[in-house]
Structures are given as structure tokens and as C-alpha cells.
Amino acid sequence: MLELREVTKNYGGLRSLDSVNLHAEAEMITGLIGPNGAGKTTMINCISGLDHPTSGEIIFDGHSIERTPAHRITGYGLARTYQNIRLFNQMSVLENLIVAQHSDGRATLVEALFFLPSHLREYRQQRERAFELLERFHLMNVKDAPAGSLPYGDQRRLEMARALATNPKMILLDEPTAGMNPIETHELGEHILQMKEDGLTILVIEHDMSLISQVCDEVYVLNFGVIIANDTVENIKQNEEVIVAYLGRED
Amino acid sequence: MEFIFDLLTPYGITENTFQNMLIAAILGISIYITLYAGLFSLANAGFMATGAYVSVILTTRYEWDFLLAVGAGIIAAGLISAIISVPVLRLSDIYLAIATIGFGEILVVLLRNFDRIYELIVNKEETITGGATGIKGIPVITTTEYLLLYLGIVVFLMVRLHRSRFGRALVAIRQDNKVAANMGINVVYYQNMAFILGAMIAGGAGALHGHLNRIILPENYGFDRAVDILTFAVLGGTTTIIGPIVGGFIIAYLPEILRRTDLVGLLGDIFGTDLGRYQANVRDMTVGMILLGVIVFLPQGIASPAMWRRVANRIWNLFNPAEKSDA
Amino acid sequence: MATHQNSLEWRASVREIRNRLKVLTERYPIIANVLIIVLSALLGYFIPYLAAEPIFRTEFNNPEQNFILMLARAGWYSMFALGYALVFSILGLLNLAHGAVYMAGAFAGLWITANQDLPIEYALPAGMLAGGLIGILVDWVAFLPLRARNAPRTSQLISSIGASIFLVNLAFILFIDQFNAPVNRFPAEKVNSIRAFQGTVPIERIEVFGLTLIDQLDYTVFPMQVTMFVVAIVMLIFLQFVIAHSKIGKAMRVVAYNPKVAQLLGINVSLIFAVTFFLSGAFAGAAGVLQGMFRVVGPFMGSEVGLIGLTVIVLGGMRSIPGAVVGSFIIANLQIATIAMGYSWLEEAVVFLALFLMLLIRPQGILGEPLQDRA
Ligand SMILES: Nc1ncnc2c1ncn2[C@@H]1O[C@H](COP(=O)(O)OP(=O)(O)O)[C@@H](O)[C@H]1O
Ligand SMILES: [Mg+2]
């Protein structure tokens, strides 16, 4: 579904990603772990089109996307969340979910001007889809509140709902449990597994090994921009290099 | 119409003042739409000039029908904005502001020297824009009805825009253009469209304004005008469509307010000078103060619903102390 | 693929050279600046020369004269733009009230010589002091409240426009009050009494390394023009020296890098901001007084130079102080060349065209770092 070939990203003199190769199998959950500053967010930015790699290829669902603008990548069916939550804070929860369905819409300004039925129908459909997501992520009772006023856990879930609203085939989650307690983390893991059930491909970046153990089929380990290991969760936990680079730091 | 003025004249709003207020409101909306898309552009004075010169030349030189000429002015402004939007909108923030200031100044110089350039190219002497002295003797065709109609159309356009896919995309872009792109919104396209739409609105305002005062001059459309237009939006606020309208009305009514409160006389007394002849400068000074004061103390503008709600709440709480302890 | 690799290498080596140059200019600011000025001036000699020589050579349009005019202009612009660039490089904000401060300095200088009847020698310090103090005042009123709440940069742009309009029109009222007219001149006899401005400078031949720059000048140089240039150079070097070697200059650099870090290091950030605005205003005031002696003083004298100064710093790189000088020379050259070719009516147009094109081609300016856009 997603493949990175020899992807390198330089910021000035700093090499954030160094010949990274990665393959995320369709309808599987791939994990990406690594210490702070390893280049995980940089990788997601390059995949989702907010940034472009210095060299290398990124192939998503048959499209070569390393130079494609972000909105087009979304149109191909790739969605993401952000490490530091980035909701449209002044919009209501419902509006956040409606604006995310932009690519699926066709209605033009002219149709809106003359109240054409196509415009109204499309808006009604988008509302319905938004309500489904509100229901699923337990956000119904806050649907009219400004997104910025929500408690932290709700914001995390809204961000995930918003990513799903773009109607993706694959979703990239950047540290989705940052700042959550173990119970909330586990609950979020359930949501992620549910998405897999629904046929979504998932790449999840994490710090927290418990979520990785809970959901991942395969794990990549990134350290200083280099992939140092790629294996199942159990094997990764045994891997010497990984323990030194990353897990060892935790205890 | 008469009855409106019967209502307004006691407040010093003559037909002329009212027309200026309407124009100001339209110009305020023209910059509102670009700000709404997260673009800080000061180019709308230039687009106003485009609309004014194109339509006036068409009605006076080629005797076009007025409405057709206005339409041509709107289209001309749209075309020019479409041409410059591609390179200019790659910039953002203060760089965009500077580039659009530069554009406005270039346009003014061009208008001032258009005839000379024409002569250089075509090798024929002709008076088209009339250089620094402008075009004189323009027939006064614009009426209050035309202005009201145009404002009505523009407001309708904006209100519908807010409720459309287009409008929602703009709000998303303004709040976070990177995330908007990740939501599938073509940021460049929508910003370009908003820029062009703003330019066309300003072009129409320019065309109507051009047929209001018998004369148009390049100097009318320079940096000072750009700042005026910005003031309409800043004073009223840019969270709702009401903002630029209120802002435009107040600034256009300002000279009258100054006259009624006799600020000119007051300042004159303080400095011991007769400022009677210098009303325009006192007015400009007030505009400067408003711009500074609003941006410092009321960043949402004076027509911000959120602010008024807060004020209303506070007053409510003042009279119902019990409510507060409940909450 | 291979060409891509080549262009990457090429870029890397360009970057390397730039970095080395940067280190050198930081280590030896005075030498670097003198070099920049000499190079720009030489360039500026040949451009108007080429422009004027073949067709238009007349008594009033000859390369020697154009060269002097260009130097005076470049001096005037750099004096003004230095303060502009200084504020931008330390605080990252564009102070569009800088033109108003320039005007205020000129006004103060004029007022104490024409109205208070003090000797003309006091005009320059008075203008600098007034400019500096008004600069600080502008910061307090227009920028400090916005900084405190972390408002966007565009808000600061708006408030500085507001401050500018206010100051200019207030000055207008004060002019009417003090002089009964909206413009005024420095008393001619006082200006002429300054020794540096007296008489004419007999220049017959200037050679540099055997190259004849000026030969048989049948034109009397206004010493004023030369003074303008010299004062600008002295100020530039002074400013660079302060930033490079003084304690306060080092603090300024830390604040420019990151005010929060500076705070943690125990630097009095508010003081540094005040010093920055004072210096910036004082430079503008000096430029205002000198130019005011040359032409007229009036409330609107700052608007034209304000926009030209904006162009200058955009060309040079808004964060770069030597860039302000480079930009000044470029603009002065462009303008003088345009005039020399007989298109004086395009004198303003070339400035704004340069501004516009620079922003499209290289928004960070000639000496600026690339603008980065964090995802
Ligand atoms: N836009 C950028 N400009 C410069 N450096 C960046 C940028 N984005 C990330 N970096 C640098 O790249 C490195 C990797 O960062 P990041 O991808 O955020 O790591 P992670 O998400 O694994 O914690 C860091 O050293 C960071 O400072
Ligand atoms: Mg990260």
C-alpha cells in the first residue's frame, strides 16, 4: 500500500531521514518507533505532502507521491493526524468533520449562490457522514462546541474522526496517545483496531510500547534518521540494538 | 430614496456622505474576503483604480453603456488580479503585504505616465489617462440606487459563500493552511480565487466611484487609499460580514462626526492655531489613532459578535449577581 | 538524475562559500563593510557612466556628476534603511512608522535652529535624540502591547501604519502652529555657515589604481552631498562595530536569535528592545536632519523615503544590516541611471519594479537567509 524507497530528507546541513526504506502492507497496522528527534514526524510530513524529500521515492497505492501537493495526496486516499493536535479551533466539532470531506464534494460557489439542489444534497450527505463519525467517536454531545474548547482526550478523538472523514484508504497517526493515561490509551487502541477491521491500512508512530504491542503487526525502528530494525513486535523487544538505542532509555 | 435621506440628514448624512459610506462598505468587503482566506493583501486600491479607469475610459471615450462599462471594469480588475496572483500569492505574511504595496505603487506610476508609455510604444500622442491631472469631466451616472444594489449583490454573495464548500475551505485555510491541505483543500487555488474575487469587488466599487465625482486622479488610488480600505476591515473586524460594513460606514461618516464634535476646533484651541482649513489632516490623524487603538485594544474589531456577547454577559451579571454564583 | 546530483553539489558549494563569507564579515565587520561599499560604489560608477555617456552627455548630465549624485543618494538611503533593517533583524518586525520618525527628527532639528534660534550644530544631535525617543515611543505604543500577547506580525504592520499616520498628521498640525506653513526650510545662512558645507570642493582628477575615475569636473560638487555619504558610512561602521564588539551588541544578537533564551541568560530584553528602537530612530532622525537641510522639511517628507527604504531592505535582505547598504546602492544606481537615460519620470517606477521583482525571485533578498516554512 505504502512504500518508501531510499528516502532522504535534509534540513540545511541536518539529515533528518537517511535512505529510509519502509513498506506498509495493505490492511495491516505498521508501527514506527524511535527516540525524540529521530525523524518520525519528518517522515510523516514527507509522506503526507507537507514537506518533500530531498531524494528517494514514495509510492502510495500505485501513485508516485514524493513531489505531489498535499491536497492531491489526500485525494488518493491518505489521511493523517498530528503530534501536536491541529484542529480548526474556531470551527465547531461538526464543521471540522464537514470541512474534512472537501475532496468528496463537488459543489461550486455558483451552485451555492443559486441554492441548487445538488449543493443542498451534497451538504446533507456530508452532515450525515459527520454524524456517523460523531456517534462512533462519542462526540455527539459536543458537536456544536468550538473544537478548541474541547478537553484533550476529545480533541485527540476528534482529530482521528476528522482524518477518517476524508474517506481514506490509509491513515498515518503521529503519536496519537501523547498525553493520555493508560485507560484512554487502551481505548484508543480499540478504535485503531476497529479501523483495521474496516479495511484501513494504518501507520502508527508511537513512544508508548504498550499501544504498539496492542495493535501492531509489524514495527520499524528509526534512530537518527536511519531504520535500524524491522520486525514483529516480539522480536523488536528482544533486539539488542533497539534496546540500546531506544527501549533501554526508558528504564 | 427620498425618505431615507429625510431620516438621515438630521445626522448630517447627506446623499454624498451616504454614497461614500456605501462605497466604503463595499471596499471593506473586498479586503474582507482576502483576509478571510488568510491573505494580507494591500492591492485592492490598485484594483479599484483598474475598475475606475477602465470603466471611465469606456464611458467617456468610447461611449459605452454605463452598466456594460462597470462590468468591463470588474472583469479588468479580475484579469489583472489573476495575472499577478500567480507569482504574488507564493508569498505570505508581511512579504505579501510588501509585494502588494509595490504593485499598488507601480500601478499609480503607470496611470500617471500611461500616455507617455503609449506614445513610446505606438508613436502617437494621445490623452487617455490624462497623467497626473487625471480624467476630468466624467458624467455623474452612479446613483445611490446603483450603489445599494451593488452592495446588496456583494453581501448576498458573501453570505452564500459562508455557507458553501468554497467558504468553509477558506475558513480552514485561514486557521491552518497546512492542515487544510491535508484535508484535501487546494490551498493555492482557493487563495487565488479569493484574491480575484476581492479584486473584482474592488473593481466594481472603483467603477461606480469613478462615475460619482466628475474626476479621477492616480493619487486617489495610492498607498493612502490602501490603508483606508484596510482600516474599514480592521475597525469593523473580519470575523463576520457585518464587520467591514460597519467599519466602512464609520470611517466614511468620520468627517461628519469630527465636525459635530468639533474636534477640529478643540485641537485648534489646544495648539492655538486655526485648523479650519485642515480638516482632512485632523481626519487622517483620527484614522491613525483608530487603526492603532483598534489593533491594540480590540483586535477582533468593534463589530465582533464574541466581544459583544462578552460585554452583554458582563452587564447581565452586573444586574443579576445571583446568576453568577449559580454558574 | 546525474544533473540533479550536480545541481545539488553546486548548491552545496555555493552555500559553503556563502557561509565562509558570512563568517568573515562577522569577524571583520569594518573591513567587510568598506569592501562592500567600495565595490558597490565602483559598480555605481560604471552603470551611470554607461548609461549617460554615449547619447546624453550634457553639461548637467555627465558621469562624474551622476556618480556624486548616486553616492549622495546611496548615503541618504542607507542612513535611513539601516534603522529599518536593525529593527527587523532584532525583533523581526517591519516598522512602517520609520518614515514618520525620520520626519520627526528633521522637524526637531529644524525647530531648534529656526524657532529656538540655537546654532545649527545642534540640529543633528537634536534630530537624533528626538528620532531615538520617538522610536522608543512608537515601540511602546504600537508594538509592545502586541508583543505581549503574541499577536501576528501583520498586526504589528497595521499598528505601525496607524502610528505613522498619526505622527505625520500631528506633525502637520504642529508645523502649522509653529511655522504657519506645512513646509519649511532650514535658515539658509545657518546651513551655509557650516564649514563642511562651505563653498565648492575643487575636484579635478581622481584616480584609483591608475584608473581615472573623475577627470576635469566642470561641475561644482555640493559638499552637502559628500557629507551625506561620509556620515552614512561612519554610521554604518559604528553600528556594525557596536553589534560585533560591544556587550550590548552581543546581547542584541542573542535577543535576535531568541528572546526567550536571552531572558534565561539574564539579558534585560526590554532594555535591548529600547536600545534597538533608539538607535534605529536616531539613525532615521540623522538622515532626516541632513536631508532636510538639503531640501525642505515637511510632515510628508518621510512617506517617499519610507517606501524606498522598504525596497532597499527587501533588496538587501531584511535581516541583513550590510544588506541595507547594498540595497541602497542598487536603488540609487537604478534611479540615477534611469534619470541619466532621460526617463526621469520612471524614477519611482524602477524602485517599485525592483521591489516587486525581488520579492518574486528571491524574497529573502540578496544577503538574506532563505525563508523557511515549517510544516
Ligand atoms: N522544518 C524543519 N526545519 C529544520 N529542521 C527540522 C524541521 N523539521 C524537523 N527538523 C529536525 O529534524 C529532526 C527530526 O525531527 P522530527 O521528525 O520532529 O523527530 P521526531 O518526530 O522523531 O521526534 C530534528 O532534529 C528536528 O529539529
Ligand atoms: Mg515527532
Side-chain angles (χ1 to χ4, degrees), chain A residues 228-230 234-244:
Chain A
I228 56 170
N230 163 28
E234 284 67 35
N235 292 348
I236 285 290
K237 281 182 174 167
Q238 313 297 321
N239 187 314
E240 279 295 327
E241 206 179 343
V242 177
I243 293 167
V244 172

Side-chain angles (χ1 to χ4, degrees), chain C residues 121-142:
Chain C
E121 284 75 18
Y122 290 176
L124 190 65
M128 291 179 78
L129 188 67
L133 293 179
I134 291 177
I136 294 182
L137 201 68
V138 167
D139 178 40
W140 283 353
V141 176

Side-chain angles (χ1 to χ4, degrees), chain B residues 73-121:
Chain B
I74 293 175
I75 289 170
L79 279 179
I80 292 200
S81 69
I83 294 168
I84 75 159
S85 76
V86 176
V88 163
L89 294 190
R90 287 188 311 181
L91 302 166
S92 60
D93 194 36
I94 56 172
Y95 296 92
L96 176 60
I98 300 172
T100 49
I101 292 174
F103 162 75
E105 294 298 316
I106 292 171
L107 202 68
V108 169
V109 179
L110 269 182
L111 288 174
R112 204 185 293 142
N113 298 296
F114 187 85
D115 296 348
R116 284 194 228 210
I117 298 168
Y118 184 82
E119 195 188 328
L120 273 186
I121 297 171

Side-chain angles (χ1 to χ4, degrees), chain C residues 233-248:
Chain C
I233 302 307
V234 170
M235 283 186 170
L236 167 75
I237 292 176
F238 166 76
L239 183 64
Q240 293 277 308
F241 197 81
V242 166
I243 291 180
H245 297 298
S246 75
K247 213 176 137 195
I248 210 148

Side-chain angles (χ1 to χ4, degrees), chain B:
Chain B
M1 270 310 112
E2 285 310 311
F3 78 97
I4 295 186
F5 296 118
D6 289 344
L7 273 170
L8 295 178
T9 25
Y11 302 99
I13 302 180
T14 57
E15 175 150 20
N16 196 332
T17 311
F18 188 57
Q19 289 173 335
N20 284 335
M21 286 165 71
L22 293 174
I23 299 245
I26 298 164
L27 289 170
I29 296 174
S30 79
I31 192 170
Y32 163 81
I33 172 74
T34 47
L35 290 168
Y36 196 75
L39 297 171
F40 190 86
S41 154
L42 291 170
N44 284 8
F47 298 133
M48 185 186 177
T50 311
Y53 270 90
V54 167
S55 66
V56 164
I57 289 170
L58 287 175
T59 51
T60 56
R61 243 181 120 79
Y62 301 99
E63 297 180 350
W64 275 38
D65 180 61
F66 173 61
L67 287 183
L68 269 179
V70 171
I74 293 175
I75 289 170
L79 279 179
I80 292 200
S81 69
I83 294 168
I84 75 159
S85 76
V86 176
V88 163
L89 294 190
R90 287 188 311 181
L91 302 166
S92 60
D93 194 36
I94 56 172
Y95 296 92
L96 176 60
I98 300 172
T100 49
I101 292 174
F103 162 75
E105 294 298 316
I106 292 171
L107 202 68
V108 169
V109 179
L110 269 182
L111 288 174
R112 204 185 293 142
N113 298 296
F114 187 85
D115 296 348
R116 284 194 228 210
I117 298 168
Y118 184 82
E119 195 188 328
L120 273 186
I121 297 171
V122 189
N123 228 336
K124 199 169 70 177
E125 208 173 314
E126 232 178 307
T127 311
I128 301 170
T129 68
T133 50
I135 304 179
K136 293 183 219 68
I138 305 162
V140 176
I141 312 178
T142 305
T143 60
T144 309
E145 285 85 350
Y146 277 132
L147 289 170
L148 276 172
L149 179 70
Y150 188 57
L151 178 63
I153 293 172
V154 169
V155 169
F156 173 75
L157 183 79
M158 286 299 127
V159 171
R160 287 310 297 161
L161 181 120
H162 289 321
R163 302 204 200 308
S164 73
R165 177 164 165 269
F166 188 124
R168 284 191 295 272
L170 293 186
V171 177
I173 291 168
R174 182 184 184 171
Q175 290 193 22
D176 190 332
N177 59 2
K178 299 272 159 74
V179 177
N182 277 153
M183 293 303 127
I185 294 164
N186 186 343
V187 175
V188 176
Y189 171 80
Y190 282 101
Q191 286 192 328
N192 275 293
M193 292 319 264
F195 187 73
I196 294 168
L197 201 58
M200 291 170 79
I201 294 173
L208 292 170
H209 182 249
H211 292 86
L212 203 56
N213 296 324
R214 295 196 175 279
I215 179 167
I216 52 174
L217 299 165
E219 271 61 38
N220 287 349
Y221 305 104
F223 184 61
D224 293 349
R225 171 75 70 175
V227 170
D228 258 4
I229 297 177
L230 177 68
T231 311
F232 304 152
V234 169
L235 171 61
T238 52
T239 42
T240 68
I241 180 76
I242 313 289
I245 299 178
V246 170
F249 277 5
I250 293 177
I251 299 290
Y253 184 48
L254 192 62
E256 191 55 34
I257 299 177
L258 295 181
R259 210 176 59 77
R260 303 202 147 219
T261 54
D262 200 22
L263 189 69
V264 178
L266 195 73
L267 278 173
D269 287 347
I270 294 175
F271 292 105
T273 322
D274 179 21
L275 291 171
R277 281 191 300 150
Y278 305 111
Q279 306 231 357
N281 298 93
V282 176
R283 178 251 178 213
D284 284 354
M285 191 169 88
T286 319
V287 167
M289 237 160 17
I290 289 176
L291 208 47
L292 191 57
V294 169
I295 209 79
V296 170
F297 296 111
L298 297 167
Q300 304 287 315
I302 59 164
S304 143
M307 183 192 81
W308 287 110
R309 221 173 291 133
R310 239 178 294 132
V311 171
N313 274 344
R314 213 168 279 168
I315 294 172
W316 178 257
N317 290 339
L318 219 60
F319 291 108
N320 301 282
E323 291 285 302
K324 214 172 171 181
S325 52
D326 271 5

